[in-house]
Amino acid sequence: MSDHKRTIVVTGGSRGIGRSICRSFARADNYIYFNYFSPGDPDAEKAAAAETEKLISEAGGSAKSISVNIASENEVTNFFEKIIGETGRIDVLVNNAGITKDALLVRMKEKDWDDVINVNLKGAFICTQIAAKVMMKQRYGRIINIASVVGVNGNVGQANYAASKAGIIGLTKTVAKELAARGITANAVAPGFIETDMTASLPDKVKTAMLGQIPLGRAGKPEDVAAVVAFLASESADYITGQVIHVSGGMYM
Ligand code: NAP
């Protein structure tokens, strides 16, 4: 075990899978930092982030949250400067923040393509680049990227999202190769159909069709994904890098 408190950074920790990931790290010997961002309803998002902080504190940990647009290099740089100023380290980075803006290819607007790629892929790149510089000096780091089964299989209506998640997998494998010699691992977790706000708004017909593709016969829970992220960040996973672990009830084999 490490002889210092570990600094854990999770993007998009206010809700859904990110909140569960933050909770899985809720221990007295971890500093947890997470961000969130919603231009739509800032008060609701602030309340969601405060709820995550409360859940972590009830579980014996402590967390700080900041509203940061993951697609903005300036905002992300300030976020990491604050963390490094306070703890001096980044032990674990979980690139979780993600959005969807679905449309069939021929109807997809350029802005919706750009928004999804900027948040899901460029955001992960910016965070990884900043964190990697700190991790390289430490000669230690765990980078875990949340991909999707869709990044491997494709999905009707999600050209932007599927491309972003396939990109995340390529980013993960490249980072794993470039940083392995410095004691840094990089892995991706590819969830299938998980019950969160992101999937709640899908039409019932789509949900039923997705459930029909899951051999284990149920949608996943955010905790199913968080458990694998916690494992990949633990010393039990020290010899695993460059992998994509599917958490999809067998949706993809
Ligand atoms: P969610 O419930 O919609 O939560 C998304 C989180 O990302 C929120 O905390 C949100 O913050 C944050 N976020 C969105 N845009 C951001 C930005 N520009 N900057 C910073 N934070 C931002 O989604 P989820 O279902 O938990 O998904 C989490 C990850 O898992 C995503 O990468 C998603 O693609 C992936 N995934 C999900 C599923 C699924 O079935 N749910 C399946 C495969 C992969 P606000 O609350 O402030 O908006």
Side-chain angles (χ1 to χ4, degrees):
M1 292 297 287
S2 57
D3 53 2
H4 54 80
K5 279 179 89 156
R6 301 212 313 161
T7 301
I8 319 284
V9 183
V10 179
T11 69
S14 56
R15 298 183 280 122
I17 293 171
R19 173 182 282 171
S20 268
I21 291 170
C22 287
R23 290 182 77 182
S24 75
F25 287 110
R27 292 168 24 170
D29 53 356
N30 286 337
Y31 295 115
I32 302 170
Y33 289 84
F34 68 90
N35 65 21
Y36 60 97
F37 176 73
S38 183
D41 189 349
D43 288 343
E45 295 316 323
K46 213 168 176 184
E51 176 65 16
T52 301
E53 286 184 14
K54 185 170 147 249
L55 290 166
I56 290 168
S57 138
E58 284 167 0
S62 67
K64 287 188 184 172
S65 67
I66 308 178
S67 174
V68 169
N69 179 5
I70 212 72
S72 157
E73 188 164 10
N74 270 349
E75 290 186 30
V76 174
T77 301
N78 292 339
F79 175 55
F80 277 93
E81 273 174 4
K82 176 181 164 59
I83 297 169
I84 294 156
E86 289 183 5
T87 76
R89 300 185 59 86
I90 298 174
D91 294 282
V92 179
L93 168 66
V94 185
N95 285 308
N96 164 79
I99 58 169
T100 51
K101 293 200 172 180
D102 297 351
L104 290 172
L105 176 74
V106 292
R107 291 194 201 133
M108 188 168 283
K109 305 217 174 351
E110 185 182 355
K111 183 173 181 332
D112 291 347
W113 171 272
D114 287 344
D115 286 351
V116 169
I117 297 289
N118 284 342
V119 173
N120 297 9
L121 185 55
K122 191 179 120 187
F125 160 69
I126 297 170
C127 292
T128 303
Q129 191 179 53
I130 297 173
K133 288 176 185 161
V134 181
M135 290 175 173
M136 283 165 83
K137 285 196 198 122
Q138 292 167 182
R139 297 202 155 260
Y140 177 86
R142 298 284 170 264
I143 298 167
I144 299 144
N145 296 326
I146 306 303
S148 168
V149 69
V150 165
V152 179
N153 253 0
N155 197 25
V156 171
Q158 293 199 306
N160 49 2
Y161 183 77
S164 74
K165 295 300 185 179
I168 280 283
I169 292 172
L171 174 69
T172 304
K173 293 184 180 185
T174 302
V175 168
K177 286 186 176 177
E178 288 191 13
L179 303 184
R182 303 292 188 110
I184 299 164
T185 64
N187 292 288
V189 177
F193 176 39
I194 311 294
E195 283 168 351
T196 67
D197 294 344
M198 186 178 270
T199 48
S201 57
L202 289 172
D204 285 345
K205 213 171 79 179
V206 175
K207 285 186 194 162
T208 307
M210 287 181 96
L211 284 172
Q213 294 171 39
I214 303 174
L216 286 180
R218 67 164 175 91
K221 297 189 184 320
E223 295 75 28
D224 294 321
V225 181
V228 177
V229 172
F231 164 70
L232 288 170
S234 77
E235 58 187 14
S236 301
D238 279 355
Y239 199 54
I240 301 175
T241 197
Q243 302 305 304
V244 181
I245 309 216
H246 287 260
V247 182
S248 65
M251 203 173 179
Y252 174 82
M253 293 187 187

